[in-house]
Amino acid sequence: QVQLVESGGGLVQPGGSLRLSCVASGSISSINIMAWYHQAPGKQREFVAGFTGEYSTKYPDSVKGRFTISRDNAKNTMYLQMNSLKPEDTGVYFCAAHLPQKTYWGQGTQVTVSS
C-alpha cells in the first residue's frame, strides 16, 4: 500500500503562485509513475503533470510553461510549482501513485484562484 498526503493549497489571486507538496509513504519502491491531477468544480479529474521516467516529465498544453513538477527522493516528496495561476485552475489537486495493479490517491488540496 501507498499513502499520499498533499498540502500547500490555498487562496491566491490571478497571476499568483503556489507550490503543492505530496508526501508518499508505504510501498514506494513499487510506484511506476507519480503525477498530479486537477478536478475543477463539477468536472472530471484531469492530468496536469507527471513523471514519465526518472527525470522525464509531461504536461498538457493547458499548463505547459506555467506548472513544474519536481521531487525530492530523500524526502519521498513530490512538488507542483504553479505560476501565473488563472481562475480556471481553481479546484482540488490530487497526487497519484500509479502501480502496476493499482493507483493510489491522496485526499487532495484545494486551490482557489480569485481576486
Side-chain angles (χ1 to χ4, degrees), residues 2-16:
V2 174
Q3 295 78 42
L4 303 170
V5 180
E6 303 99 329
S7 62
L11 174 64
V12 63
Q13 292 186 343

Side-chain angles (χ1 to χ4, degrees), residues 11-51:
L11 174 64
V12 63
Q13 292 186 343
S17 298
L18 279 177
R19 188 177 82 154
L20 307 182
S21 300
C22 173
V23 179
S25 60
S27 301
I28 297 172
S29 60
S30 301
I31 298 173
N32 284 351
I33 295 173
M34 291 289 293
W36 287 97
Y37 292 78
H38 167 229
Q39 187 164 19
K43 295 189 177 181
Q44 290 188 331
R45 200 170 296 185
E46 296 182 338
F47 169 82
V48 293
F51 287 100

